[in-house]
Amino acid sequence: MVLRELYLKRIRPFYHSEFVKILTGVRRCGKSTLLRQISEELIASGISSDKIIDINFENYAYNSLRNPDAFYRHVEDRIEDATGKTYLLFDEVQFVDGFERVVNSFRATHDVSMFLTGSNSKLLSGDLASELGGRTLSFRIMPFTFGEFCDFRGVQGAARASLFDEYLRWGGFPLVCAERDEASKAVVLDNLYDSIVLKDVILRNKIASPHTLETVLNFVVSQSGSTLSGRTIAASLSDQNRKVSAPTVYDYLRAIESACIVGKATRYDVRGKKVLAFEEKLYVCDLGLFQQRKSPVAEDIGHALETLVFNELVARGFKVFVGKIDAMEIDFMISGPEGKAYVQVAYMLASEKTREREFGSLEAVRDNYPKYVVTLDPVTRNRNGIIHLGLIDFLLDEGLLVLG
């Protein structure tokens, strides 16, 4: 089992906090395992197991607790039997109708530290946000990063680079990573995709036309890293004789994003220092899904690498935007508690035109935040204060990317 230190180190400071810790992410990305690791760390720190109430709502043993009254009574009785702070860990809590009021009741009436997981980003909004009134901390959980994939395989040091092509092709879903031959990986990935679409999009959102939803989703996944809107998607599908209206596409995009299948990078005007409410980019949460859905004849290495870096940045806890400066684009402007930085991603800087494009947009930015170009070039060359990083080094060493 891979210790998911990338997330644990950000969650640990709040283990005993009254804030409700919310872990969201696409189905089967490892949220349940992470919750189990939190429980194990609490016990290892001296917390008695009878002060930890751990319920996985996907486990049929707890099926009766999907009723909010039964859920409340079960937990309330156990809290009353404990002394001191109680730790509540509820996995896939969205299966409980009206869980928001129950959760808020525990928080308001008892000394508890609470952790919730769900494969729907709506956990962060709507009724829960209203009930808890800002007393939440959210953490987006992703499938394995490349570094975690190497740990999963037990490969260390320079040998980790030999796993890169496999990761680029099949992504980081733990169930897929556990398979060794490509035929088995493909079967697991296809079934995982179907499960996500059925349970977290179609059924949860009561989609009237599943076929149309799948058409939109396949298009969005295959175009990861592209600038998309409801109108452009509707127009593209209409050109392919698959009619769907822009309002329907927007509804489906909200459902797809809520299921954490894709992440959104909003465009940011670097000169004007403001977020722009148009031309957003969408990135699929896992490269395996992208590779399975993209055109077999298209050369998409650029979009694949951009998606890879976007997901890595999200996994590290950064807020990620697409930078705009005049007519030029910066792949990512990222922000975190330590400051900001800019990141350009490219396959290789094989020509002067490519070098000018990747470095030039960063050179046009007149602030002093760190600037990086990340590529697969075997040799890196910095330029005018802009740091050139090898992609594999960037993925395996968090310390190379510094905010300022």
Side-chain angles (χ1 to χ4, degrees), residues 8 15 66 113-114 121 151 174 202 258 288 295 313 323:
L8 289 169
Y15 273 8
R66 292 189 179 190
S113 176
M114 204 173 330
S121 63
D151 290 342
I202 294 174
S258 292
S295 168
L313 294 171

Side-chain angles (χ1 to χ4, degrees), residues 377-391:
D377 288 285
V379 178
T380 58
R381 296 182 177 86
N382 301 340
R383 172 171 141 175
N384 294 334
I386 299 169
I387 300 171
H388 184 192
L389 297 175
L391 176 58

Side-chain angles (χ1 to χ4, degrees), residues 151-299:
D151 290 342
F152 181 82
R153 284 293 181 83
V155 177
Q156 300 296 321
R160 292 179 293 182
S162 66
L163 297 178
F164 180 74
D165 287 345
E166 181 181 352
Y167 181 80
L168 191 67
R169 172 66 182 87
W170 295 105
F173 277 111
L175 289 175
V176 177
C177 296
E179 301 295 332
R180 289 305 182 100
D181 66 272
E182 294 196 348
S184 297
K185 286 179 180 291
V187 170
V188 172
L189 192 58
D190 279 338
N191 279 274
L192 184 58
Y193 183 81
D194 291 343
S195 174
I196 293 168
V197 172
L198 177 63
K199 293 183 178 179
D200 291 332
V201 185
I202 294 174
L203 295 180
R204 185 168 293 168
N205 295 278
K206 299 180 173 61
I207 300 296
S209 176
H211 175 71
T212 304
L213 178 281
E214 287 199 61
T215 298
V216 173
L217 178 56
N218 286 338
F219 181 84
V220 170
V221 170
S222 69
Q223 298 295 313
S224 181
S226 300
T227 301
L228 298 174
S229 70
R231 289 189 299 274
T232 59
I233 294 171
S236 296
L237 294 177
S238 294
D239 289 344
Q240 301 171 30
N241 296 317
R242 291 179 282 182
K243 298 291 184 180
V244 56
S245 69
T248 297
V249 172
Y250 278 114
D251 287 341
Y252 289 168
L253 284 177
R254 281 190 287 271
I256 291 165
E257 188 180 356
S258 292
C260 303
I261 302 171
V262 299
K264 180 168 62 180
T266 306
R267 201 166 290 269
Y268 184 89
D269 183 349
V270 176
R271 288 200 195 280
K273 294 181 169 49
K274 61 182 179 180
V275 174
L276 304 175
F278 64 93
E279 293 187 349
E280 299 161 330
K281 280 191 172 185
L282 299 177
Y283 294 91
V284 66
C285 66
D286 181 76
L287 281 172
L289 299 181
F290 170 70
Q291 300 285 15
Q292 290 287 81
R293 261 65 197 178
K294 74 178 182 63
S295 168
V297 297
E299 180 51 58

